[in-house]
Amino acid sequence: MSTTTTEVLQNVKMETPEALLPMDIMPSNWTPMIEPVAADKVAVGDFDPKKHLQYEAPAKIHTMQDLGLPEGTGVSSVAVSEPFRLFTTEAVHRMRQEVLQKDVWDNCQYSSNLAQCQLRGFASKWAPFVYDTWKNPETLSIISKIAGVDLVTEMDFEIAHINISVKSEEQKSEEVQVVSDKQAFDDDEGIAGCPWEDDKPIVHDCTNMIGGETALRTGYSQEIIKALRAIGMTERITMVTSFRPRCPNLPDDTVLTTVRPISDLTELYSQYTEYRLEILEERLRTQLRALRDNRRTGKKFNVEAMKYFFHEQENFLAAMNKEIVEEGMVQTGNIDDSHLLTRG
């Protein structure tokens, strides 16, 4: 849905207050692998980049051309990076604390054909630490540097989309037993992740995890973009945040295909329309200033340039019109791949 894919590997043992675990929705035989601690021992306070960021640059950044996609695809030449660490352990503790609040689960839980349990649209209301983390200029600077373009969060509803998968110890053991079966390993589990991951911190203990990687379909092969099955663990929690270019003159390729069926449409459409109209407003203001300046200095009216501008804005509005689908036409929970550049 946006520009870059990163994964933060937090190979640490993390603790969460027992009261924050929504156990009523978990399998009856599921035991969390996180040792509970008292709520008063969990850190408090606002997000502080000096305290909560622990950035370690990715080993490699892959370009669109590396993936066999034509030059000019997307808003940046960057396609995806290798996994990298972004946050401190304490920051991950804080994010887990907010994500696992009862209010979040009661009001922001969705399910789809890709993931049985997803949490969306909660950050601005119930998770101030998570919200501030992704809006912070230093966080955005790191993501922008990797992406090769200055980015901002796309819209509030798309900050910290959560995918959650849990298994019992028995289920975990059974999966490990069949890890040699290639099909069992390669097939998408359907509850471990989503194929539009823009920035995907892992907020669980990765110890003993097998798999869980993100595969990419390139421009010349049939590999599909998906979160592969993660086994050898009882839980998997991933966080996805979507971004767009800060500059209003750059293309905004945002589509709602993968989020429309798992969203409060009033909130999603309102935020999408608002930021897109703000982009259009800024483009019109810039064009108007240029028009007035040219007239004052006696420059000839550039018909070709103006018609090109009109054409670009027509396409911009047409794209918006395509994404705003009537509510009755949206099949709740059903996500297809019609947005992908290539399909197998």
Side-chain angles (χ1 to χ4, degrees), residues 16 25 44 65 82 92 96 141 153 212 244 256 265 278 286 295:
T16 301
I25 69 164
V44 296
Q65 288 185 314
E82 295 290 328
V92 176
R96 287 179 62 91
S141 176
T153 52
R244 58 181 174 86
L256 303 181
L265 290 181
E278 287 175 350
T286 299
R295 189 174 61 184

Side-chain angles (χ1 to χ4, degrees), residues 96-121:
R96 287 179 62 91
Q97 180 188 23
E98 291 188 337
V99 166
L100 296 175
Q101 292 178 93
K102 188 175 186 299
D103 282 340
V104 173
W105 287 73
D106 287 348
N107 296 283
C108 305
Q109 187 176 167
Y110 297 86
S111 180
S112 74
N113 56 312
L114 292 181
Q116 291 181 357
C117 182
Q118 298 171 301
L119 305 173
R120 292 177 45 72

